[in-house]
Amino acid sequence: MKRSLTLEWLLMSLGLLALVFWLSGPLQFPRANLWFKDLALRLHSPEPSPDVVLIAVDERSLASIGRWPWRRALHAHLIDFVSMGQPRSIGLDILLAEADLDYPEDDALLAHSMVRSGRVVLPLVSSGNAQTTSLPLPLFAQTAARLGHVHLPLDPDGGVRSFYAREGFAQHQWLHLGLSMLCLSQPQGPDCRSTAQTDAPSASGPWLRSQPIRIAFARGEAPFITYSYIDVLRGKIPASAFRNKHVLIGATATGLGATVLPPSGASPSALHNVKMLAHIVSGALQQQHVSTASPWANRIFNLLPVALGLAALSVLGPSAALLTCLGLALLTLLLHALAPTLTHTVFSPAAALLVLLLAYPLWSWRRLSTAAQFLNQEMQHLRVQGLNTAPAAVPRRGDFLQGRILAVEQATQQLRQLHEFVTDTLLQLPSPTMVCNRQGQIVLANRAAHRYAQQLQRPLQELQPIAELLEGAVERGSLQPLWSSEQPPPLDKTMQREGIDLQQRSLLMLSKPFSVAGDTGWLVSLVDISELRAAMAQRDQALHFISHDIRAPIGAILTAIEMEQHFGQEDTSSVLIERIQRYARNGLSLADDFVYLARAQHTTAQRVPVELGAIIDQALDDTWAAANARLVELDWMPQEEEAWVLGDASMLRRACVNLISNAIKYGPVEGTVYCSLAQDGDAWCITVRDEGDGISAKEQERLFAPFTRQAQHEAQKIQGFGLGLAYVHTTAQQHGGSISVVSEVGHGASFILRLPKAPVPALQPS
């Protein structure tokens, strides 16, 4: 999906940029661009220059003087009067291309007036070639200070917004009349030196135009000072009113002279040519006219915001991209509005605005279509991979994407449930399990791992290296670190190592490499095999016991028999028989103890009502012979209350026998063994106390482990194999009770067998 969207974005971007390049050309969207330009120039409208004055041939002047055209002697008199005020220039917007046949002497008068003034600029008009160019009469062209064209090109909507600074032939061009007037006060200007001042009779060829300039229309409905022609002619206006002014003389009466339509907002009605000249002169004086941007500059102006908008579409989300496109459109409008003021240039922003508004819905459509296709493919892949995702019901009416969203919602819910199941399963694993990244840092750990870390007083932190958690744990045998940061387990095969941690627990570390979404790491599990190791040690000890201790009496019996066969007398002596009996009894007793212990460890005790007083009586009967042989007195005082428990009578009887036998065997000859039964809360306690040498605190810690004997008994060569108390401990656990010892060296030992009480059983009917 990402590659598809990237390719589509590139193709769409190239297409839209090419579209902007073409639409920002000179002749594209003329009316829209004119509207934007009018808006910008309206904001740029300058104040009217006070140095521009109009003398208007208005209706009142026509009513006083008569029908147009007037005698040129009147114009001569007007020029003489205005020149007395020493104006900077006089623009006579009256075409003098033909001689006055009625008053031929008036031409000479007007020519002399222009010579005396030296400030008169005359207009010329051309229709496009040398044959139709209307120049002033040679008499006037030679006596005028300068000539200037008065052409105003029409825009596609019929309005006038600009003029060309230069027009004419290839070898001979004239400035616009408004600019020519300024050349009289600024003759050193580059345009003034490089253009013709008067006529060019030898010029020919096509009419050329250059340097288009947008007119900076002055503010206000009647922005310039205007005097009536008749008032100036009669002297009602003092000549000083024209001092240092640029004076324009032209027709403003209705039906007299050409009129043009200004852009909307510049003037409420059509303007006569002389008023347009006033706007041109005023803007040129204040350097407020602006130029139209070149085709390449305009293309760059339009391409930049579109390119930024397309880049935003590729990296931002839908809301941010929409706001960015709208912001770029507003920024384009703002720069377009400020450009006339900042750079004296006007651009055509319609292409950029159109494409910016078009890019977002177009890209959203493609992204939405691709997303719907992607969702459909992913749903099919999930079904192929075994996820039971039933197709969502697509509504017959409405957005087709709704069905895709419902299907993805169902699949997402199932995946979430599956993820929760997998996560909960991992968290509930009994062994510490951790997920490590390639750097050996723990990124996920279950509850057992946290408990293990707490036991080590190393609480797990985020991205904690597993080497820190297992610091001090060594591999069994090699004593190398169980996990080394320098030599971690390989990433290509499963490894298992057995080690010992700081708490002397036996651990089996399983490390399995994995790779998910390009990330590699290990799944590490720590299995506590301490009990297994203890069982293996017990097994080894039992094997040693079987191979040595059980074989010893049997070997002694065989040796005695062989000696008697080879060296004895014909009749078997009583001494030999007694020896063989003793060895046989020891071997049988040892085998019985071992068998009983194994049976108690691997079978479940029966749970039937048992009365402990009777059990103790039976145990005392079983041990009476051993006590009598050592002249030991058995002290037992039964209590009146019956002591009922739920248990196995045979196991409890043998446990009591073992306790009493040990007390007889390890107590002194002619001593006493005390037996008692008492209630302690919700339990019955059987206590067997002897008067022997006692047991040290160190030996009490391992007293109930199999095959464990006290060092002093080994030295005294007292027969025993360390299985009796182990059997008692196992029996107590099987019955939900406990066995404990209270002893001090030299003060005997008391063994307390604690068993849970049971209710008194109901009497069975006879």
Side-chain angles (χ1 to χ4, degrees), residues 196-229:
Q197 297 185 12
T198 57
D199 60 341
S202 60
S204 62
W207 190 264
L208 303 178
R209 296 175 173 180
S210 62
Q211 298 182 18
I213 298 176
R214 306 290 298 188
I215 301 174
F217 289 92
R219 300 176 185 174
E221 295 184 4
F224 303 105
I225 301 173
T226 304
Y227 302 118
S228 177
Y229 189 100

Short mmCIF file of all heavy atoms in Angstrom, two decimals, residues 196-229:
data_model
loop_
_atom_site.label_atom_id
_atom_site.label_comp_id
_atom_site.label_asym_id
_atom_site.label_seq_id
_atom_site.Cartn_x
_atom_site.Cartn_y
_atom_site.Cartn_z
N ALA A 196 12.14 58.88 -28.79
CA ALA A 196 12.03 60.05 -29.66
C ALA A 196 11.29 61.16 -28.94
O ALA A 196 10.38 60.91 -28.14
CB ALA A 196 11.29 59.68 -30.94
N GLN A 197 11.69 62.38 -29.25
CA GLN A 197 11.01 63.52 -28.66
C GLN A 197 9.96 64.08 -29.61
O GLN A 197 8.91 64.53 -29.18
CB GLN A 197 12.02 64.62 -28.30
CG GLN A 197 13.03 64.17 -27.26
CD GLN A 197 13.95 65.29 -26.82
OE1 GLN A 197 13.69 66.46 -27.13
NE2 GLN A 197 15.01 64.96 -26.11
N THR A 198 10.24 64.03 -30.90
CA THR A 198 9.29 64.57 -31.89
C THR A 198 8.99 63.51 -32.92
O THR A 198 9.13 62.31 -32.65
CB THR A 198 9.88 65.83 -32.55
OG1 THR A 198 11.14 65.49 -33.16
CG2 THR A 198 10.13 66.92 -31.51
N ASP A 199 8.64 63.91 -34.14
CA ASP A 199 8.21 62.95 -35.16
C ASP A 199 9.42 62.27 -35.79
O ASP A 199 10.55 62.67 -35.61
CB ASP A 199 7.38 63.65 -36.23
CG ASP A 199 8.18 64.75 -36.92
OD1 ASP A 199 9.19 65.18 -36.34
OD2 ASP A 199 7.80 65.14 -38.03
N ALA A 200 9.14 61.20 -36.54
CA ALA A 200 10.16 60.45 -37.27
C ALA A 200 9.59 60.15 -38.64
O ALA A 200 9.02 59.08 -38.88
CB ALA A 200 10.50 59.17 -36.53
N PRO A 201 9.70 61.05 -39.60
CA PRO A 201 9.04 60.89 -40.90
C PRO A 201 9.56 59.70 -41.69
O PRO A 201 8.85 59.16 -42.51
CB PRO A 201 9.34 62.20 -41.63
CG PRO A 201 10.49 62.80 -40.90
CD PRO A 201 10.41 62.33 -39.50
N SER A 202 10.78 59.28 -41.43
CA SER A 202 11.33 58.18 -42.20
C SER A 202 11.04 56.81 -41.57
O SER A 202 11.43 55.79 -42.12
CB SER A 202 12.85 58.33 -42.34
OG SER A 202 13.45 58.35 -41.05
N ALA A 203 10.39 56.78 -40.38
CA ALA A 203 10.13 55.51 -39.70
C ALA A 203 9.08 54.72 -40.44
O ALA A 203 8.14 55.28 -41.01
CB ALA A 203 9.67 55.77 -38.27
N SER A 204 9.23 53.39 -40.43
CA SER A 204 8.28 52.51 -41.10
C SER A 204 8.39 51.13 -40.47
O SER A 204 9.32 50.84 -39.73
CB SER A 204 8.55 52.44 -42.60
OG SER A 204 9.85 51.90 -42.82
N GLY A 205 7.44 50.27 -40.84
CA GLY A 205 7.45 48.92 -40.30
C GLY A 205 6.30 48.70 -39.33
O GLY A 205 5.43 49.57 -39.15
N PRO A 206 6.28 47.55 -38.67
CA PRO A 206 5.18 47.25 -37.74
C PRO A 206 5.28 48.11 -36.48
O PRO A 206 6.34 48.54 -36.07
CB PRO A 206 5.39 45.77 -37.43
CG PRO A 206 6.85 45.54 -37.65
CD PRO A 206 7.24 46.43 -38.79
N TRP A 207 4.13 48.32 -35.90
CA TRP A 207 4.04 49.10 -34.65
C TRP A 207 4.34 48.17 -33.48
O TRP A 207 3.73 47.13 -33.31
CB TRP A 207 2.65 49.69 -34.53
CG TRP A 207 2.52 50.69 -33.41
CD1 TRP A 207 2.08 50.46 -32.17
CD2 TRP A 207 2.84 52.07 -33.47
NE1 TRP A 207 2.09 51.60 -31.41
CE2 TRP A 207 2.55 52.63 -32.20
CE3 TRP A 207 3.34 52.91 -34.47
CZ2 TRP A 207 2.73 53.96 -31.90
CZ3 TRP A 207 3.52 54.25 -34.17
CH2 TRP A 207 3.24 54.77 -32.89
N LEU A 208 5.30 48.55 -32.64
CA LEU A 208 5.76 47.70 -31.54
C LEU A 208 5.39 48.32 -30.19
O LEU A 208 5.32 49.54 -30.06
CB LEU A 208 7.28 47.51 -31.62
CG LEU A 208 7.84 46.92 -32.93
CD1 LEU A 208 9.34 46.84 -32.88
CD2 LEU A 208 7.23 45.55 -33.18
N ARG A 209 5.19 47.42 -29.20
CA ARG A 209 4.86 47.85 -27.84
C ARG A 209 5.79 47.12 -26.86
O ARG A 209 6.13 45.96 -27.07
CB ARG A 209 3.41 47.51 -27.48
CG ARG A 209 2.38 48.26 -28.32
CD ARG A 209 0.98 47.77 -27.99
NE ARG A 209 -0.05 48.57 -28.63
CZ ARG A 209 -1.35 48.36 -28.51
NH1 ARG A 209 -1.79 47.34 -27.76
NH2 ARG A 209 -2.21 49.14 -29.13
N SER A 210 6.16 47.80 -25.80
CA SER A 210 7.03 47.18 -24.81
C SER A 210 6.79 47.82 -23.45
O SER A 210 6.23 48.91 -23.35
CB SER A 210 8.50 47.31 -25.21
OG SER A 210 8.88 48.68 -25.28
N GLN A 211 7.26 47.13 -22.42
CA GLN A 211 7.18 47.57 -21.03
C GLN A 211 5.73 47.83 -20.58
O GLN A 211 5.34 48.97 -20.32
CB GLN A 211 8.02 48.82 -20.80
CG GLN A 211 9.50 48.63 -21.05
CD GLN A 211 10.30 49.89 -20.74
OE1 GLN A 211 9.83 50.79 -20.06
NE2 GLN A 211 11.51 49.93 -21.26
N PRO A 212 4.93 46.75 -20.45
CA PRO A 212 3.58 46.97 -19.92
C PRO A 212 3.63 47.38 -18.45
O PRO A 212 4.41 46.85 -17.66
CB PRO A 212 2.91 45.61 -20.11
CG PRO A 212 4.04 44.63 -20.13
CD PRO A 212 5.20 45.34 -20.77
N ILE A 213 2.79 48.34 -18.09
CA ILE A 213 2.74 48.87 -16.73
C ILE A 213 1.29 48.91 -16.28
O ILE A 213 0.40 49.35 -17.03
CB ILE A 213 3.36 50.29 -16.66
CG1 ILE A 213 4.85 50.23 -17.06
CG2 ILE A 213 3.21 50.89 -15.27
CD1 ILE A 213 5.51 51.60 -17.12
N ARG A 214 1.06 48.40 -15.02
CA ARG A 214 -0.28 48.47 -14.44
C ARG A 214 -0.49 49.84 -13.82
O ARG A 214 0.36 50.37 -13.09
CB ARG A 214 -0.44 47.39 -13.36
CG ARG A 214 -0.11 45.99 -13.80
CD ARG A 214 -1.10 45.41 -14.75
NE ARG A 214 -2.41 45.30 -14.17
CZ ARG A 214 -3.44 44.67 -14.76
NH1 ARG A 214 -3.25 44.11 -15.95
NH2 ARG A 214 -4.62 44.61 -14.18
N ILE A 215 -1.64 50.43 -14.12
CA ILE A 215 -1.93 51.79 -13.64
C ILE A 215 -2.30 51.75 -12.17
O ILE A 215 -3.14 50.96 -11.75
CB ILE A 215 -3.07 52.41 -14.46
CG1 ILE A 215 -2.70 52.45 -15.94
CG2 ILE A 215 -3.42 53.80 -13.95
CD1 ILE A 215 -3.82 52.91 -16.84
N ALA A 216 -1.65 52.58 -11.37
CA ALA A 216 -1.99 52.73 -9.96
C ALA A 216 -3.03 53.84 -9.85
O ALA A 216 -2.71 55.03 -9.79
CB ALA A 216 -0.75 53.07 -9.14
N PHE A 217 -4.32 53.46 -9.88
CA PHE A 217 -5.40 54.44 -9.84
C PHE A 217 -5.43 55.11 -8.47
O PHE A 217 -5.39 54.45 -7.43
CB PHE A 217 -6.74 53.77 -10.13
CG PHE A 217 -6.91 53.33 -11.55
CD1 PHE A 217 -6.55 52.06 -11.95
CD2 PHE A 217 -7.40 54.22 -12.50
CE1 PHE A 217 -6.70 51.66 -13.27
CE2 PHE A 217 -7.55 53.82 -13.81
CZ PHE A 217 -7.20 52.54 -14.21
N ALA A 218 -5.51 56.45 -8.51
CA ALA A 218 -5.57 57.22 -7.26
C ALA A 218 -6.93 57.05 -6.60
O ALA A 218 -7.93 56.75 -7.24
CB ALA A 218 -5.29 58.69 -7.54
N ARG A 219 -6.93 57.23 -5.30
CA ARG A 219 -8.16 57.06 -4.54
C ARG A 219 -9.11 58.23 -4.75
O ARG A 219 -8.69 59.35 -4.99
CB ARG A 219 -7.84 56.92 -3.05
CG ARG A 219 -6.95 55.75 -2.70
CD ARG A 219 -6.61 55.76 -1.23
NE ARG A 219 -5.65 54.69 -0.91
CZ ARG A 219 -5.09 54.54 0.28
NH1 ARG A 219 -5.37 55.39 1.25
NH2 ARG A 219 -4.23 53.55 0.49
N GLY A 220 -10.40 57.94 -4.57
CA GLY A 220 -11.41 59.00 -4.63
C GLY A 220 -12.13 59.05 -5.96
O GLY A 220 -11.62 58.62 -7.00
N GLU A 221 -13.38 59.61 -5.90
CA GLU A 221 -14.17 59.71 -7.12
C GLU A 221 -13.64 60.81 -8.05
O GLU A 221 -13.64 60.65 -9.26
CB GLU A 221 -15.63 60.01 -6.76
CG GLU A 221 -16.31 58.89 -5.99
CD GLU A 221 -17.77 59.18 -5.74
OE1 GLU A 221 -18.25 60.23 -6.24
OE2 GLU A 221 -18.43 58.39 -5.05
N ALA A 222 -13.21 61.92 -7.52
CA ALA A 222 -12.61 63.01 -8.32
C ALA A 222 -11.30 63.39 -7.63
O ALA A 222 -11.20 64.40 -6.93
CB ALA A 222 -13.54 64.21 -8.41
N PRO A 223 -10.29 62.57 -7.84
CA PRO A 223 -9.09 62.73 -7.03
C PRO A 223 -8.24 63.95 -7.40
O PRO A 223 -7.45 64.41 -6.57
CB PRO A 223 -8.33 61.43 -7.29
CG PRO A 223 -8.80 60.96 -8.61
CD PRO A 223 -10.22 61.40 -8.74
N PHE A 224 -8.37 64.49 -8.62
CA PHE A 224 -7.44 65.53 -9.07
C PHE A 224 -8.14 66.89 -9.16
O PHE A 224 -9.35 66.99 -9.40
CB PHE A 224 -6.85 65.16 -10.43
CG PHE A 224 -6.16 63.82 -10.44
CD1 PHE A 224 -6.77 62.72 -11.03
CD2 PHE A 224 -4.93 63.66 -9.83
CE1 PHE A 224 -6.15 61.49 -11.04
CE2 PHE A 224 -4.30 62.44 -9.84
CZ PHE A 224 -4.91 61.34 -10.43
N ILE A 225 -7.33 67.95 -8.98
CA ILE A 225 -7.85 69.32 -9.10
C ILE A 225 -8.21 69.57 -10.56
O ILE A 225 -7.39 69.36 -11.46
CB ILE A 225 -6.80 70.33 -8.63
CG1 ILE A 225 -6.43 70.05 -7.16
CG2 ILE A 225 -7.29 71.75 -8.81
CD1 ILE A 225 -5.27 70.90 -6.67
N THR A 226 -9.42 69.99 -10.79
CA THR A 226 -9.91 70.18 -12.16
C THR A 226 -10.50 71.59 -12.30
O THR A 226 -11.33 72.01 -11.47
CB THR A 226 -10.99 69.13 -12.50
OG1 THR A 226 -10.44 67.82 -12.31
CG2 THR A 226 -11.44 69.26 -13.94
N TYR A 227 -10.04 72.29 -13.37
CA TYR A 227 -10.58 73.63 -13.68
C TYR A 227 -11.27 73.57 -15.03
O TYR A 227 -10.85 72.84 -15.94
CB TYR A 227 -9.46 74.67 -13.74
CG TYR A 227 -8.66 74.78 -12.44
CD1 TYR A 227 -7.30 74.48 -12.43
CD2 TYR A 227 -9.26 75.19 -11.26
CE1 TYR A 227 -6.56 74.57 -11.27
CE2 TYR A 227 -8.51 75.28 -10.09
CZ TYR A 227 -7.17 74.97 -10.10
OH TYR A 227 -6.44 75.05 -8.97
N SER A 228 -12.31 74.37 -15.13
CA SER A 228 -13.02 74.44 -16.41
C SER A 228 -12.21 75.26 -17.41
O SER A 228 -11.55 76.25 -17.06
CB SER A 228 -14.40 75.07 -16.20
OG SER A 228 -15.08 75.20 -17.42
N TYR A 229 -12.24 74.81 -18.66
CA TYR A 229 -11.49 75.48 -19.73
C TYR A 229 -11.88 76.94 -19.82
O TYR A 229 -11.01 77.83 -19.94
CB TYR A 229 -11.78 74.74 -21.04
CG TYR A 229 -10.93 75.15 -22.21
CD1 TYR A 229 -9.84 74.38 -22.59
CD2 TYR A 229 -11.22 76.32 -22.95
CE1 TYR A 229 -9.06 74.75 -23.68
CE2 TYR A 229 -10.43 76.69 -24.01
CZ TYR A 229 -9.35 75.90 -24.39
OH TYR A 229 -8.57 76.27 -25.46
#
